[in-house]
């Protein structure tokens, strides 16, 4: 699957679709992967976000706790390289929403500048929600980026080897 986090689609839908098939293999989600966070950091730099700004890492969202854990791990990876606070917000599903995370950062006076870092693969409805969340900066989605192709190829080769 070309999904950023493990959730229902990875663990149930896709798993059931390939169960018992010897001609089809399933690979894990693309993330969390440090290379994805390098793309996030590049996007933040491209937008000119001050390195001490609060960043809301904005994921699609899922009620599956495994997906939420993957997003939290991605945020932890980002915290290792970012100088300001890092929060999580979701475009859909669990709380906090991206807009709530932005509002909470502003209410807590976190350096005054708030950026939303898209942790989405492509433009669309969820990316539009990020733009409407009230942040000072909003990065574009992760794709297109050559590193995504490397991660996909790695997942493909790992699936073939297992």
């Amino acid at each position: 699957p070309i999904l950023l986090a493990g959730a229902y689609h990875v663990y149930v839908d896709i798993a059931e679709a390939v169960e018992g098939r010897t001609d089809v293999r399933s690979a894990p989600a693309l993330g969390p992967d440090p290379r994805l966070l390098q793309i996030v950091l590049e996007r933040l730099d491209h937008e000119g976000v001050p390195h001490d700004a609060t960043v809301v890492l904005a994921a699609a969202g899922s009620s599956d706790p495994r997906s939420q854990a993957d997003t939290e791990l991605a945020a932890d990876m980002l915290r290792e390289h970012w100088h300001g606070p890092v929060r999580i917000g979701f475009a859909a599903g669990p709380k906090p929403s991206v807009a709530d995370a932005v509002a909470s950062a502003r209410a807590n006076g976190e350096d005054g500048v708030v950026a939303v870092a898209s942790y989405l693969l492509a433009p669309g409805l969820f990316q539009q929600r990020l733009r409407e969340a009230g942040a000072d900066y909003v990065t574009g989605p992760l794709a297109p980026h050559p590193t995504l192709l490397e991660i996909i190829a790695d997942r493909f080769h790992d699936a073939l080897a297992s």
Side-chain angles (χ1 to χ4, degrees):
I2 301 180
L3 300 166
L4 291 174
Y8 186 85
H9 294 305
V10 172
Y11 297 113
V12 178
D13 290 339
I14 295 169
E16 287 178 359
V18 302
E19 187 176 0
R21 302 271 315 257
T22 58
D23 61 330
V24 178
R25 295 203 177 132
S26 174
L30 300 181
D33 187 300
R35 296 172 291 181
L36 292 171
L37 279 300
Q38 286 303 313
I39 299 171
V40 169
L41 289 166
E42 285 180 29
R43 299 287 193 249
L44 289 165
D45 282 343
H46 176 76
E47 292 296 325
V49 177
H51 289 207
D52 61 349
T54 295
V55 170
V56 175
L57 184 66
S62 170
S63 61
D64 191 307
R66 295 168 289 196
S67 175
Q68 293 173 23
D70 284 353
T71 303
E72 186 61 51
L73 182 54
D76 287 343
M77 290 178 188
L78 182 57
R79 287 180 186 109
E80 291 175 13
H81 300 283
W82 192 253
H83 300 291
V86 174
R87 294 170 168 263
I88 293 174
F90 298 101
K95 303 267 185 235
S97 69
V98 175
D100 288 346
V102 168
S104 180
R106 292 199 189 286
N108 287 302
E110 293 175 1
D111 300 311
V113 175
V114 179
V116 171
S118 178
Y119 196 61
L120 302 171
L121 283 171
L125 174 65
F126 287 177
Q127 183 69 32
Q128 183 60 36
R129 287 182 182 170
L130 307 190
R131 297 204 179 287
E132 297 168 353
D136 301 300
Y137 299 89
V138 179
T139 69
L142 301 176
H145 196 283
T147 301
L148 283 173
L149 298 175
E150 292 172 17
I151 298 168
I152 292 167
D154 288 348
R155 298 298 182 271
F156 174 80
H157 291 295
D158 291 347
L160 288 180
S162 64

